[in-house]
Amino acid sequence: MLPEISKILSNPINVFVLGWLGIYLFFVFFVFFYKYFSLTSWIKKERESLNALLMSGNISGTSSFKRCIDKSANESELAFDACIEAAKTQASGGLTFLSIVASTSPFIGLFGTVIGILTAFSSMQSVTTINMIAPAIADALVATAVGIIVAVPAYSFHQILSKKVEDLISLLKMQKDFYLSK
């Protein structure tokens, strides 16, 4: 049975920890969905550009690669590599946040648990049974569970988006290689 919410939220540290993890969880989902849909759209454009390059020998105007090359005075391999690195930097924005959340949220939850257990033990009288202390410890463990609940999607989303960035960079490198081989 889940502990009562009023017991969990009676400690200000638990309120702070659970609030912090709640904010983390909101932003994890926001960053994921925003980046997922923008990367999916970008990959689609680059795939279409690669197909156009293979069919006609020209880079599509919708390609970020084309816009970058148009800004450059020369069409050297270094200019193409610089464009690819700029795209990689732009595409991987937000991934650092997801990795930070994935690695820190279990520790934030553990902090809440430690404080909750300390509070439970400090409130013990001289004679205490396990039936008296167990509910307080169970309440304290909720913070660790929430920390893990936040970490799992953050880590999973980081891995999904990292693969999308890798796919995008692969498409850009294929365009570069084919364009320079002409």
Side-chain angles (χ1 to χ4, degrees):
M1 177 179 243
L2 289 174
E4 293 179 32
I5 298 294
S6 62
K7 287 182 184 179
I8 296 170
L9 298 179
S10 65
N11 185 344
I13 298 291
N14 276 352
V15 172
F16 177 74
V17 166
L18 294 176
W20 189 345
L21 291 171
I23 291 168
Y24 261 8
L25 190 62
F26 172 79
F27 281 108
V28 161
F29 278 92
F30 177 79
V31 167
F32 173 71
F33 285 115
Y34 176 77
K35 291 301 287 185
Y36 183 84
F37 289 118
S38 64
L39 285 172
T40 300
S41 172
W42 192 355
I43 288 170
K44 182 181 176 190
K45 288 178 188 175
E46 296 305 333
R47 189 169 284 126
E48 290 169 356
S49 177
L50 177 62
N51 288 336
L53 181 61
L54 294 173
M55 296 296 184
S56 67
N58 296 321
I59 296 177
S60 169
T62 61
S63 173
S64 60
F65 205 55
K66 174 72 171 159
R67 287 175 289 192
C68 184
I69 294 305
D70 287 344
K71 293 177 186 176
S72 175
N74 61 356
E75 293 182 352
S76 69
E77 187 167 357
L78 292 175
F80 283 101
D81 288 342
C83 292
I84 291 171
E85 285 301 314
K88 184 177 181 181
T89 301
Q90 182 182 352
S92 61
L95 294 181
T96 302
F97 172 74
L98 292 177
S99 67
I100 289 170
V101 170
S103 62
T104 61
S105 59
F107 294 112
I108 295 168
L110 185 60
F111 173 72
T113 297
V114 168
I115 297 299
I117 289 173
L118 288 173
T119 304
F121 284 138
S122 70
S123 66
M124 288 176 27
Q125 286 87 26
S126 60
V127 177
T128 304
T129 65
I130 192 69
N131 293 337
M132 296 170 72
I133 197 71
I137 292 175
D139 292 345
L141 289 172
V142 169
T144 297
V146 172
I148 292 169
I149 287 170
V150 172
V152 169
Y155 180 76
S156 301
F157 294 164
H158 179 272
Q159 295 301 315
I160 292 167
L161 293 176
S162 293
K163 178 63 174 130
K164 285 237 175 246
V165 170
E166 187 179 305
D167 292 347
L168 175 67
I169 299 306
S170 177
L171 286 168
L172 291 173
K173 286 181 179 178
M174 284 189 276
Q175 288 182 65
K176 174 193 94 168
D177 292 343
F178 188 81
Y179 190 80
L180 290 177
S181 70
K182 302 191 299 176

